[in-house]
Amino acid sequence: MTRFIEEDTIYKVLPEINDASAKEKQGGARPPFWEMVFWWTRKPLIGARCVIAASLLPAGAGEEEFLRNMRLRGVKKTPHNYNPEIPPSWDSYFKGKKMLDPFAGFGSIPLEGARLGLDVTASELLPTAYIFLKAVLEYPAKYGRKLVEDVEKWGQWITEQLKNDPDIKELYDDDVAVYIGTWEVKCPTCGRWTPLIGNHWLARVKDNKGKYKRLAFMKPIADGDEVRIDIVDINRLVKDRKIKLPKEDISEYAKVSGQKITLEKDGKIYFSENVPESNIHPRRSTAICLLCGNPIRFVDENGEHHVEGKNMEWYVKWALKKYHEGDERFARQRLLVKVKVVDGDLIFEPCTEEDNAKLERAKERVRELMERGDSDIPREEISPYEMRSIWVLAYGFNKWYHLFNPRQLLTLVKLVKLIREVGKKVEEEKIREGWSEEDSFAYAEAVATYLSVGLCKFADFNSVSNRWNPGWLKFEETLSVRGIAMMWSWVDTNPFAGFTGTYSRSLENSLGSLQYLTSKFSPQTQQRITDIENNSKEIKVIQDDATTLSKLNDEKYDIIVTDPPYADDVPYTELSDFYYVWLKRALSDSDGRKLLPRFHKEAFFKPFGRAWREIKTQWQEFAIREVSTNPGRFMNEDDRNRKAEQHFRNLLTQSFITMAKHLKDDGIIATYYAHTSPEAWAALLDAGWKGAKLRVTNAIPLLTESAQRVVGRGKLALDTSIVVVWRKGVEGEKEINEIKDDVVIAATKRTLHLLKYINEGHYDLKGRDIMVGAMASSLSIVTQYERILGPMGEIDTNTLLLNYIYPYTVRGMIAALTETFNIPEIRNPYASYYLVVKAFFGATSNGKKFERFKPTADDLRILGIALGIDAKYLLEYNLVKKLKKSGKEYILLEPEKKEPSYLEEYLQFERGIVPSEPELRNPVDALHLLEYWARTLPQSHFNEKLSHLKTLNLQYVEEAINLAKILSKVLKDYDPEKHLASELVAKVKGEKLEVL
Ligand SMILES: C[S@@+](CC[C@H](N)C(=O)[O-])C[C@H]1O[C@@H](n2cnc3c(N)ncnc32)[C@H](O)[C@@H]1O
Ligand SMILES: [Zn+2]
C-alpha cells in the first residue's frame, strides 16, 4: 500500500508543516519539556508528528483532513500544544502499530509516535540520552500526576536541606541573586593580580521600541596594588540626580555606539563615557595588566615572560594550566560584581573581600572532600582530543570538576548527596505504604531521575564556562554555544534565588516539563495521562547501539522514523559527559569513596564477572560507536581524517542494515538527514540503498532549524533536513541508458505536479522543495535496482549522482517548463542555469518585494554539476558575482529594475555587454540585450536589432526568445524581468504591449 508520505500530494501540506516547525523553534513557542535540560539538534514536534502520520496513512488520505487532525488547522496556539486527533476511520492505520527510533536523542520523534497512539520503542547509545528519554517518555506515561507531586515535594525537601546545611549557609547571602566573576592572573611585569575581564557591560537593555532603557557597566580602578571595581549604573545615577536628566526614564536620551554611552537630547549632552574595552584577547594571545598597563604575552619553559615569542605558550594559558594542576601562584578566580533583585529591578554592587573569602571557604571544604577521596567530586577526565568543541581544554581544564568554582562545586556535590538520600527515602516510604519492593524501587528511580535532570540543568547554568548576558539581564547556559567555551565573565548563582538558572528554577523547569508531558500525551484531545494508564500502548526506552540493536531480538516494526547524527555536526558523546558525571553520581550509591550501582545501573556500570564495574566516562566507552565523523577519536593514527570519514560511513551503513532487519516487509523507514551536498547524498545512498538494499520512494525537505535561516528567496543548499522515505524491494540490474528516459520523465512529472500546486495558489512551495522533490522521483526509479550499469560495468553511487541523477533531475525540471509552455527544449547550459534559478528559485519566493537571488557556493556547485558548467564561467560571463571578495555568497546578476536608464548601465557595468557592439557569449546575453531593446526601441528599430543579432548567433537568439516566453509566464509580478520578458515576447510577435 502506497503511503501518503510517498505521494506527490504530501508536498501540498509541506509548507504548513514547515511554517509550524519554524514557529516551534522560536523562543516562546518551544515545547516546554525542552527546558528540562538542553540536548543538541532536537527536532520540532509537529514535523515529527506529520512524518510519522504520513508514513502510516494511505495515499489519498486527504490533505484537509490531515492538516486538521495534525492540528495544523483550527487551533490557536502552536500545534504541538494539542494532541493529534485520530478519527475512527483512521484507527486501522494507527492502532497497534509499532514504531522504532534507534537514534532517539531527546525523543521528539518517539514522543509524537506515542501521542499518535503507537507502540513506541526509543533507543539511544548514550547513557545520558537514555536517561533523559526515560524522563521524557517513560515516567510521565507510567506515573502521571503522582510523579509531579512527588518531584515537587522532594525537590522542596532538598532545597530546605541545602539551605540549612551549615557549609552552604555561610557561602551565600540571602539578598544576592548572582555573582559575576572572572579569572585573575599575576602580572608577570609588576607581580600584582590583575583581573581579566571579557565584557564590562552589566546592563545594555533595549525596550520594545529599540531604545536603551537600562545601562550599567563595571569600571576597574587601579587602587594601590589592587584593582577595585566601580559600578557605573546610569539609571541609578539619574535616579539619584547625580546625572541631572529632565526625566528619570533614560530611553529618550540614551545612545550607545560601540562602547560609548551618551545621554543627550536636542544637542544637550547630559552624560558621556566609554565603557572599558576587554583587556583579554585570546586570539592575539594578549592580555593587559590593569595595574601597570603592560601586555601579558608569552612564557618560556622556565616561567620567564617574553613580550615577543615564537613557539612559546601564552602566559594566561600557562597560568590557568598551573592553577588546574594545583599550583595557584599565577592564576585565581575572583568575584567582581554581585547582583541583587529589588522590586523587579537589578542592583549591581562591587564584590567585597568578604564575598571573595566565601570562595576561599568553599575551597577549603572542597579540599577536605578531595583529601578524603570523596566519590562525589567529578574527577573524570574530559576527552582530551575534543579541542574542536571543548575549548577550555586549551586552558588546562582536563577534569570535569575544573569547570566549577569551589562554591559551585560544593553546592553541586551537596545536591548529589541529597538526591541520593531522597532516592532512599522514597523507596522506604513506598514500601511502608505497602508497595512491592520492585515497584517501590522503580518509583524511587523515577523521582530521583527527575531530580537529577534538574541537577544537570543547574550545573549547565552554574559553571565558570557560562556567561552574563547584559542584553537580557540573565546568564547563559554552559552548553548553549554548542561547545564548552573559555569565559572571562562567568556567573555564580545563589541556588535559592528567584532567578533563571538557580536550583529552585531548574526544579521548576523539571516540573513544568512533567506537567506538559503528563497532560499532552494521549492521542485523544486533552485527556490526562491518568486516563490512559490502562491503555495497552507501550512505550519502551532502551539503551542500545543502532548499528546492532542487540536488545530487540527479532522484533519487527511497521515504521522506523529516525534522525541519525550528521557526520561531524555534534560530538554528542564527549559533550554530554558534562551531564554524565553528575547523573551517574546522583543516581548511584556511594560508600564514601567509590560509586556503587543503584538506579539505572546498566547505564553507569557494566558487568564484570559477577560484579559491576563503573563506566568512567562516555567518551571512554561509547565514542567509537557514535555514528559520526570525528578525527579526534583517531588521534593516534595516521590519516585520521580519512579514517574518521570511513568509520562514519561504515557505522551509518551498519545502522541501515540493522533497521532493515527490524522492518516489516511492507514497512516504511523515514530518515532525517541534514546534509545536502552530493557527497552527503552519496554516503546516505551507499548506506540505505547499496548497504541495506532499501529503495527511496520519496524525499521531502523538512524545516528543522530556526526560521531566520530559511527566509528570503529559497536556497538550493538546505538549512533544513531532508526526510528520505525508504522501503524494501531492491532487485536486478539495469543499464543506465535503459532507464534514462524514465528518470527524466519521473522528475518532469513531479515538477509538473508541484508547479500545478503552486499555480493553484494555495501553496507556498519553494525552489528547494521542487529540487528535492524532483530528485526524489529520479532516485525512486534508480534505487529500484540493485545495480546500475554503465559502459564500464557497475556505476558507483558518487558517479551515478554526479553524472546522471543530478543532470537528469534538472533536465526533468526544465522539461516541465518547456512542456507546459509548448516550447522546444532549452539546450544551452547557461540558458538552463538562468532558467532554473529564475523560474524555480526566484518565482517561488514568498516575499512581495524583488530581491536578487543569492546562491551560496554550494548552490553554484550543485547546479554546476547538474548542468555540466564550472562556476568560474558563471563568474566570467557575469551571470553571478561574488558578494564579498572573500565570502562564499554570490548574487545573480538579474535585472533589478525596468527603467531604460537603469538597463543601459546594468548591461554595461554588470553584465559587461556593450549594446552598440554586441557580442554573445550565451543565450542569456541575448536575452538581456533584447529585453533592453524591446523596452527602449520602437518596433521597426527593434526588428533591425533583432535581425542583426540573429546573424551573430541564431541559436542563442532563439533560445533567448524561448527563455523570455517562459519567464514572462512564471515569474512573480514583482520581478521586473517578468515585464521585460513580456515586452520582448510582444515585440518579437510585433504586437504592441500597452502600459507596463
Ligand atoms: C540528531 S540526534 C537525534 C535528535 C532527536 N531526533 C531529537 O529530536 O532529540 C542523533 C542521536 O543519535 C545518537 N547516536 C549516535 N550514535 C549512535 C548509535 N551508534 N546508536 C544509537 N544512537 C546513536 C546521538 O547520541 C544523538 O543523540
Ligand atoms: Zn602589571
Side-chain angles (χ1 to χ4, degrees), residues 915 918 920 923 925-934 936-962 964-965 983-991:
L920 298 182
D925 287 355
L927 173 72
H928 289 150
L929 255 175
L930 287 168
E931 283 175 350
Y932 166 65
W933 285 329
T936 50
L937 300 179
Q939 184 73 48
S940 56
H941 205 158
F942 172 82
N943 292 348
E944 279 167 31
K945 291 281 187 193
L946 177 62
S947 312
H948 172 68
L949 213 55
K950 281 182 175 168
T951 63
L952 293 182
N953 190 323
L954 181 61
Q955 214 177 340
Y956 284 1
V957 173
E958 277 174 352
E959 281 214 338
I961 291 168
N962 287 334
K965 283 182 185 159
E983 206 165 3
L984 170 56
V985 174
K987 276 266 163 63
V988 170
K989 284 195 204 145
E991 287 168 0

Coordinates of all heavy atoms in Angstrom, one line a residue, residues 915 918 920 923 925-934 936-962 964-965 983-991:
P915 N 25.8 47.5 -25.9 CA 24.7 47.3 -26.9 C 25.1 47.8 -28.3 O 24.6 47.2 -29.3 CB 23.6 48.2 -26.3 CG 23.9 48.3 -24.9 CD 25.4 48.2 -24.7
P918 N 27.4 44.5 -29.8 CA 27.1 43.3 -29.0 C 28.0 42.1 -29.4 O 28.3 41.9 -30.6 CB 25.7 43.1 -29.3 CG 25.4 43.7 -30.6 CD 26.3 44.9 -30.7
L920 N 27.9 37.9 -28.3 CA 27.1 37.0 -27.5 C 27.9 35.8 -27.0 O 28.5 35.1 -27.8 CB 25.9 36.4 -28.3 CG 24.9 37.5 -28.8 CD1 23.8 36.8 -29.6 CD2 24.3 38.3 -27.7
P923 N 23.0 32.5 -24.5 CA 21.6 33.0 -24.8 C 21.2 34.0 -23.7 O 20.3 34.8 -24.0 CB 20.8 31.7 -24.7 CG 21.7 30.6 -25.0 CD 23.0 31.0 -24.4
D925 N 23.0 36.5 -22.5 CA 23.4 37.8 -23.1 C 22.3 38.3 -24.1 O 21.9 39.4 -24.1 CB 24.7 37.6 -23.8 CG 25.9 37.4 -22.8 OD1 25.6 37.5 -21.6 OD2 27.0 37.2 -23.2
A926 N 21.9 37.4 -25.0 CA 21.0 37.7 -26.0 C 19.7 38.2 -25.3 O 19.0 39.2 -25.7 CB 20.7 36.6 -26.9
L927 N 19.3 37.4 -24.3 CA 18.0 37.8 -23.6 C 18.1 39.2 -23.1 O 17.1 40.0 -23.3 CB 17.8 36.7 -22.5 CG 16.6 37.0 -21.6 CD1 15.3 36.8 -22.3 CD2 16.7 36.2 -20.3
H928 N 19.1 39.5 -22.3 CA 19.2 40.8 -21.7 C 19.3 41.9 -22.7 O 18.7 43.0 -22.5 CB 20.3 40.8 -20.6 CG 19.9 40.0 -19.4 ND1 20.9 39.3 -18.7 CD2 18.7 39.6 -18.9 CE1 20.3 38.6 -17.7 NE2 19.0 38.8 -17.9
L929 N 20.0 41.7 -23.8 CA 20.1 42.7 -24.8 C 18.8 43.0 -25.4 O 18.3 44.1 -25.6 CB 21.1 42.2 -25.9 CG 22.4 42.8 -26.0 CD1 23.2 42.1 -27.0 CD2 22.4 44.3 -26.3
L930 N 18.1 41.9 -25.8 CA 16.8 42.0 -26.4 C 15.8 42.6 -25.5 O 14.9 43.4 -25.9 CB 16.3 40.6 -26.9 CG 17.1 40.1 -28.1 CD1 16.7 38.6 -28.4 CD2 16.7 40.9 -29.4
E931 N 15.8 42.3 -24.2 CA 14.9 42.9 -23.3 C 15.1 44.4 -23.2 O 14.2 45.2 -23.2 CB 15.1 42.3 -21.9 CG 14.5 40.9 -21.7 CD 14.9 40.3 -20.4 OE1 15.7 40.8 -19.6 OE2 14.3 39.2 -20.1
Y932 N 16.4 44.8 -23.3 CA 16.7 46.2 -23.3 C 16.2 46.9 -24.5 O 15.5 47.9 -24.5 CB 18.2 46.4 -23.2 CG 18.8 47.8 -23.5 CD1 18.4 48.9 -22.7 CD2 19.6 48.0 -24.6 CE1 18.9 50.1 -23.0 CE2 20.1 49.2 -24.9 CZ 19.8 50.3 -24.1 OH 20.3 51.5 -24.3
W933 N 16.4 46.3 -25.7 CA 15.9 46.9 -26.9 C 14.4 46.9 -27.0 O 13.8 47.9 -27.4 CB 16.5 46.2 -28.1 CG 17.9 46.5 -28.4 CD1 18.6 47.7 -28.1 CD2 19.0 45.6 -28.9 NE1 19.9 47.6 -28.4 CE2 20.2 46.4 -28.9 CE3 19.0 44.3 -29.4 CZ2 21.4 45.8 -29.4 CZ3 20.1 43.8 -29.9 CH2 21.3 44.5 -29.9
A934 N 13.8 45.8 -26.5 CA 12.3 45.8 -26.6 C 11.7 46.9 -25.7 O 10.7 47.5 -26.0 CB 11.8 44.4 -26.1
T936 N 13.3 49.9 -25.1 CA 13.6 51.2 -25.4 C 13.4 51.6 -26.9 O 13.4 52.8 -27.2 CB 15.1 51.4 -25.1 OG1 15.9 50.4 -25.7 CG2 15.4 51.5 -23.7
L937 N 13.2 50.6 -27.8 CA 13.2 50.9 -29.2 C 11.8 50.8 -29.8 O 11.1 49.9 -29.4 CB 14.2 50.0 -30.0 CG 15.6 50.1 -29.6 CD1 16.5 49.1 -30.5 CD2 16.2 51.5 -29.7
P938 N 11.5 51.6 -30.8 CA 10.2 51.4 -31.5 C 10.3 50.1 -32.3 O 11.4 49.6 -32.6 CB 10.1 52.6 -32.4 CG 11.4 53.2 -32.5 CD 12.2 52.8 -31.3
Q939 N 9.1 49.6 -32.6 CA 9.1 48.2 -33.3 C 10.1 48.0 -34.4 O 10.8 47.1 -34.5 CB 7.6 48.0 -33.7 CG 7.4 46.6 -34.3 CD 7.4 45.5 -33.2 OE1 6.7 45.6 -32.2 NE2 8.2 44.4 -33.4
S940 N 10.1 49.0 -35.4 CA 10.9 48.8 -36.6 C 12.4 48.7 -36.2 O 13.1 47.9 -36.7 CB 10.6 49.9 -37.6 OG 10.9 51.1 -36.9
H941 N 12.7 49.6 -35.4 CA 14.1 49.7 -34.9 C 14.5 48.4 -34.2 O 15.6 47.8 -34.4 CB 14.3 50.9 -34.0 CG 15.7 51.4 -34.0 ND1 16.0 52.6 -33.6 CD2 16.9 50.8 -34.3 CE1 17.4 52.8 -33.7 NE2 17.9 51.6 -34.1
F942 N 13.6 47.9 -33.4 CA 13.8 46.7 -32.6 C 14.0 45.5 -33.6 O 14.9 44.7 -33.5 CB 12.6 46.4 -31.7 CG 12.7 45.0 -31.1 CD1 13.5 44.8 -30.0 CD2 12.0 43.9 -31.7 CE1 13.5 43.5 -29.4 CE2 12.1 42.6 -31.1 CZ 12.9 42.5 -30.0
N943 N 13.2 45.5 -34.7 CA 13.3 44.4 -35.6 C 14.6 44.4 -36.3 O 15.2 43.3 -36.5 CB 12.2 44.6 -36.7 CG 10.8 44.3 -36.2 OD1 10.6 43.9 -35.1 ND2 9.8 44.7 -37.0
E944 N 15.2 45.5 -36.6 CA 16.5 45.6 -37.2 C 17.6 45.0 -36.2 O 18.4 44.2 -36.7 CB 16.9 47.1 -37.4 CG 16.4 47.6 -38.7 CD 16.6 49.2 -38.7 OE1 17.6 49.6 -38.1 OE2 15.7 49.9 -39.2
K945 N 17.5 45.4 -35.0 CA 18.4 44.9 -34.0 C 18.3 43.4 -33.9 O 19.3 42.7 -33.8 CB 18.2 45.6 -32.6 CG 18.5 47.0 -32.6 CD 20.0 47.2 -32.5 CE 20.3 48.7 -32.3 NZ 21.8 49.0 -32.5
L946 N 17.1 42.9 -33.8 CA 16.8 41.5 -33.7 C 17.5 40.7 -34.9 O 18.2 39.7 -34.7 CB 15.3 41.2 -33.6 CG 14.9 39.8 -33.5 CD1 15.5 39.1 -32.3 CD2 13.4 39.6 -33.5
S947 N 17.3 41.2 -36.1 CA 17.8 40.6 -37.3 C 19.3 40.5 -37.2 O 20.0 39.5 -37.5 CB 17.4 41.2 -38.6 OG 16.1 41.5 -38.6
H948 N 19.9 41.7 -36.8 CA 21.3 41.7 -36.7 C 21.9 40.7 -35.7 O 22.8 40.0 -36.0 CB 21.8 43.1 -36.3 CG 23.3 43.2 -36.0 ND1 24.2 43.0 -37.0 CD2 23.9 43.4 -34.9 CE1 25.4 43.1 -36.5 NE2 25.3 43.3 -35.2
L949 N 21.2 40.7 -34.6 CA 21.7 39.7 -33.5 C 21.6 38.3 -34.0 O 22.5 37.5 -33.7 CB 20.8 39.9 -32.3 CG 21.5 39.7 -30.9 CD1 22.7 40.6 -30.8 CD2 20.5 40.0 -29.8
K950 N 20.6 38.0 -34.8 CA 20.4 36.6 -35.3 C 21.6 36.3 -36.2 O 22.0 35.1 -36.2 CB 19.1 36.5 -36.1 CG 17.9 36.3 -35.2 CD 16.6 36.1 -36.0 CE 15.4 35.9 -35.1 NZ 14.2 36.0 -35.9
T951 N 22.1 37.3 -36.9 CA 23.3 36.9 -37.7 C 24.5 36.6 -36.9 O 25.4 35.9 -37.3 CB 23.7 38.1 -38.7 OG1 24.1 39.2 -37.8 CG2 22.5 38.5 -39.6
L952 N 24.5 37.1 -35.6 CA 25.7 36.8 -34.8 C 25.6 35.3 -34.3 O 26.5 34.6 -34.2 CB 25.7 37.7 -33.6 CG 26.0 39.2 -33.9 CD1 26.1 40.0 -32.6 CD2 27.4 39.3 -34.6
N953 N 24.4 35.0 -33.8 CA 24.2 33.6 -33.3 C 22.7 33.3 -33.2 O 22.1 33.6 -32.3 CB 24.9 33.4 -32.0 CG 24.9 31.9 -31.6 OD1 24.0 31.2 -31.9 ND2 26.0 31.5 -31.0
L954 N 22.3 32.6 -34.3 CA 20.8 32.4 -34.4 C 20.3 31.5 -33.3 O 19.3 31.8 -32.7 CB 20.6 31.7 -35.7 CG 19.1 31.3 -36.0 CD1 18.3 32.6 -36.0 CD2 18.9 30.6 -37.3
Q955 N 21.1 30.5 -32.9 CA 20.7 29.6 -31.9 C 20.5 30.3 -30.5 O 19.5 30.1 -29.8 CB 21.7 28.5 -31.7 CG 21.1 27.1 -31.4 CD 22.2 26.1 -31.4 OE1 23.3 26.3 -31.9 NE2 22.0 25.0 -30.7
Y956 N 21.4 31.1 -30.2 CA 21.4 31.8 -28.9 C 20.1 32.7 -28.9 O 19.4 32.8 -27.9 CB 22.6 32.7 -28.7 CG 23.9 32.0 -28.3 CD1 23.9 30.6 -28.1 CD2 25.1 32.7 -28.1 CE1 25.0 29.9 -27.8 CE2 26.2 32.0 -27.7 CZ 26.2 30.6 -27.6 OH 27.3 30.0 -27.2
V957 N 19.9 33.4 -30.0 CA 18.7 34.3 -30.1 C 17.4 33.5 -29.9 O 16.5 33.9 -29.2 CB 18.8 35.2 -31.3 CG1 17.5 36.0 -31.5 CG2 20.0 36.0 -31.4
E958 N 17.4 32.4 -30.6 CA 16.1 31.6 -30.5 C 15.9 31.1 -29.1 O 14.8 31.2 -28.5 CB 16.2 30.4 -31.5 CG 15.7 30.9 -32.8 CD 15.9 29.8 -33.9 OE1 16.5 28.8 -33.6 OE2 15.4 30.1 -35.0
E959 N 17.0 30.7 -28.4 CA 16.8 30.2 -27.0 C 16.5 31.4 -26.1 O 15.7 31.2 -25.2 CB 18.1 29.5 -26.5 CG 18.2 28.1 -27.1 CD 18.8 27.1 -26.1 OE1 19.6 27.5 -25.2 OE2 18.5 25.9 -26.2
A960 N 17.0 32.6 -26.4 CA 16.7 33.7 -25.6 C 15.2 34.0 -25.7 O 14.6 34.3 -24.7 CB 17.5 34.9 -26.1
I961 N 14.7 33.9 -26.9 CA 13.3 34.2 -27.0 C 12.4 33.2 -26.3 O 11.4 33.5 -25.7 CB 12.9 34.3 -28.5 CG1 13.6 35.6 -29.1 CG2 11.4 34.4 -28.7 CD1 13.6 35.7 -30.6
N962 N 12.9 31.9 -26.4 CA 12.2 30.9 -25.7 C 12.2 31.1 -24.1 O 11.2 30.9 -23.4 CB 12.7 29.5 -26.0 CG 12.3 29.1 -27.4 OD1 11.3 29.6 -27.9 ND2 13.1 28.3 -28.1
A964 N 12.4 34.0 -22.7 CA 11.5 35.1 -22.4 C 10.1 34.6 -22.4 O 9.3 35.0 -21.5 CB 11.7 36.2 -23.5
K965 N 9.7 33.7 -23.3 CA 8.4 33.2 -23.2 C 8.0 32.5 -21.9 O 7.0 32.7 -21.3 CB 8.2 32.1 -24.4 CG 8.0 32.8 -25.7 CD 7.8 31.8 -26.8 CE 7.8 32.5 -28.2 NZ 8.0 31.5 -29.3
E983 N 7.5 42.1 -22.6 CA 7.6 43.2 -23.6 C 8.4 42.6 -24.8 O 8.1 42.9 -26.0 CB 8.3 44.4 -23.0 CG 7.9 45.6 -23.8 CD 8.3 46.9 -23.0 OE1 8.9 46.8 -21.9 OE2 8.0 48.0 -23.5
L984 N 9.4 41.8 -24.5 CA 10.2 41.2 -25.5 C 9.4 40.3 -26.4 O 9.4 40.3 -27.6 CB 11.4 40.5 -24.9 CG 12.3 39.6 -25.8 CD1 12.8 40.4 -27.0 CD2 13.4 39.0 -25.1
V985 N 8.6 39.4 -25.7 CA 7.8 38.5 -26.4 C 6.8 39.2 -27.3 O 6.7 38.9 -28.5 CB 7.0 37.6 -25.4 CG1 6.0 36.7 -26.2 CG2 8.0 36.7 -24.6
A986 N 6.2 40.3 -26.8 CA 5.3 41.1 -27.6 C 6.0 41.7 -28.8 O 5.5 41.7 -30.0 CB 4.7 42.2 -26.8
K987 N 7.2 42.3 -28.6 CA 7.9 42.9 -29.7 C 8.3 41.9 -30.8 O 8.3 42.2 -31.9 CB 9.2 43.6 -29.1 CG 8.9 45.0 -28.6 CD 9.2 46.1 -29.6 CE 8.5 47.4 -29.3 NZ 9.0 48.1 -28.1
V988 N 8.7 40.7 -30.3 CA 9.1 39.7 -31.3 C 7.9 39.3 -32.2 O 8.0 39.1 -33.4 CB 9.6 38.4 -30.5 CG1 9.8 37.3 -31.5 CG2 10.9 38.8 -29.9
K989 N 6.7 39.3 -31.5 CA 5.5 39.0 -32.3 C 5.0 40.2 -33.1 O 4.1 40.1 -33.9 CB 4.4 38.6 -31.3 CG 4.5 37.2 -30.8 CD 3.1 36.8 -30.2 CE 3.3 35.7 -29.2 NZ 2.4 35.8 -28.0
G990 N 5.6 41.3 -32.8 CA 5.2 42.6 -33.5 C 3.9 43.1 -32.9 O 3.2 43.9 -33.4
E991 N 3.6 42.7 -31.7 CA 2.4 43.2 -31.0 C 2.8 44.4 -30.2 O 3.9 44.6 -29.8 CB 1.8 42.2 -30.0 CG 1.2 41.0 -30.8 CD 0.9 39.9 -29.8 OE1 1.2 40.0 -28.6 OE2 0.3 38.9 -30.3

